[in-house]
Every structure is written in structure tokens, then in C-alpha cells.
Amino acid sequence: PATGKIHKRVAKHWERSSTVHMFNKWNAEDGSCLEFAKRLKKHGLAQTEASIANKLSRGTFAATFFLASLVALEIDGIRLEDI
């Protein structure tokens, strides 16, 4: 039965998968964290080079960061199967 809570293993899977997906997309553009911060700022999300590096190394970030990143990277869409 569903309890409304996400099992830790499932949560870790999605955290890791979304981080790897974002990291791969950004690496495909040969971008720096500073350049990424500039792109995010254009879309209204203020981030520093250090905060982006921390998010990627930690492997966790808010859904708002993930969605803003997709916009900043000019990604039109993603398939959940790809994550």
C-alpha cells in the first residue's frame, strides 16, 4: 500500500539519475559552472559558481533548479526513460 512517503532507495535513485543527466548535458556543452550560473541568471535563478559545483558534487538539488537548468541549457524536453 502507498504511504505517501518515498522509499529512501527510490529517492536516491532519482537524485543520482537526475544529477548524472544534468551533468552529462552540461558536459556535452563543455561549459563551466560560471557560464552555467550566467545562463541561469538570465532565466531568473541566481546561483554562484560554487553553489552549482556543490549541487553537482553533492548530487542533490531542488526540482526548481533542475527545471531552470533545462531551460538554461535550452533543452526542449526530456524523456523520463533517459533519466
Side-chain angles (χ1 to χ4, degrees):
T3 63
K5 295 182 179 179
I6 297 176
H7 190 278
K8 287 182 182 181
R9 185 178 63 218
V10 173
K12 286 293 178 192
H13 164 77
W14 283 107
E15 288 172 358
R16 179 76 180 133
S17 296
S18 60
T19 300
V20 167
H21 184 77
M22 187 62 57
F23 190 74
N24 289 340
K25 292 292 185 187
W26 187 242
N27 278 338
E29 299 217 5
D30 294 324
S32 68
C33 288
L34 180 58
E35 177 61 28
F36 197 20
K38 289 177 184 177
R39 286 188 184 198
L40 287 168
K41 187 174 183 177
K42 284 184 192 177
H43 297 284
L45 189 63
Q47 295 288 310
T48 65
E49 184 177 6
S51 69
I52 292 169
N54 287 338
K55 284 175 177 54
L56 293 175
S57 67
R58 186 177 63 234
T60 59
F61 41 78
T64 51
F65 178 81
F66 182 74
L67 294 172
S69 296
L70 295 176
V71 172
L73 292 171
E74 299 177 357
I75 297 171
D76 292 330
I78 58 170
R79 294 174 354 133
L80 293 178
E81 295 85 16
D82 294 340
I83 298 177

